[in-house]
Structure formats: structure tokens, C-alpha cells
Amino acid sequence: TLDRPPLAWVGLFRKRLELDASAWSSVHDAWAALLLGLRAPPHHPPSLDKLRDSLVRDANGVQRPVTIAIAGVGGGKGPVAAWVVRLREFLEQLLRDGVFSDGR
């Protein structure tokens, strides 16, 4: 028998990547932290298109499904905060467009 409802077990397999933006002073720092957190290949460029490709192909050390949580963005101003918003919008659009057609 299961100690938890079946849907609760599904959540155990989703990875959660938690990033702290409080020390990021540039978008370059943000990209570096994201790619390091995803354990992307060393040659992975800081590009949303390349990020999409690597996520679809499961080319990173951390594979889908993954939740990316970014804390410490502060008041939401400046280039780092704008990058976080753009990243969120980009990933949400990929989900809406069905890019991850395997459901992960």
C-alpha cells in the first residue's frame, strides 16, 4: 500500500533548482548561475534559444521535469530582474506552445 496518495508521489520526481539572485551583479552572473545549476555542458552559450534546445534534448545534467525557483531578485528593477522576468515568460511560452510534447 502507498502511504501517500498517488499524485503526491509524482511530485517526488520533479527536480527543483533553487537559485539565489542576491549576489548577481549582471545578467552574465545570472546566466552563469542558471547554466551551472542545470549542469549544462561547458560549451552551452547564454542564449534562450540554446536553453530551449538543451531542455528539449535533455542535454543538461539536470533533466526535465524541473522547476526553476529564483529568490533574491530584490525590488524587481534593473537588468537582472528584467532577465528573470524574461526567462519566466520564455519558459511559460514554451509550455503554452507545447514544446515539451512528451509532457515532462
Side-chain angles (χ1 to χ4, degrees):
T1 67
L2 296 175
D3 294 329
R4 298 180 187 198
L7 290 179
W9 285 100
V10 173
L12 294 176
F13 298 102
R14 178 172 293 278
K15 293 160 257 348
R16 183 173 174 88
L17 174 59
E18 296 187 12
L19 302 174
D20 182 3
S22 63
W24 301 345
S25 59
S26 68
V27 172
H28 176 78
D29 293 344
W31 270 112
L34 175 63
L35 295 177
L36 179 67
L38 288 171
R39 296 193 324 246
H43 62 276
H44 195 301
S47 156
L48 291 175
D49 289 334
K50 296 299 181 185
L51 177 62
R52 178 196 60 231
D53 294 346
S54 70
L55 290 172
V56 168
R57 293 187 335 248
D58 279 331
N60 302 306
V62 174
Q63 297 182 351
R64 296 180 291 115
V66 61
T67 297
I68 301 170
I70 303 175
V73 180
K77 298 180 181 176
V80 170
W83 178 85
V84 170
V85 169
R86 176 68 184 115
L87 176 66
R88 184 193 73 222
E89 291 171 347
F90 179 77
L91 294 173
E92 288 173 348
Q93 187 63 49
L94 292 179
L95 290 172
R96 283 192 298 274
D97 291 349
V99 170
F100 307 117
S101 58
D102 59 6
R104 295 185 298 142

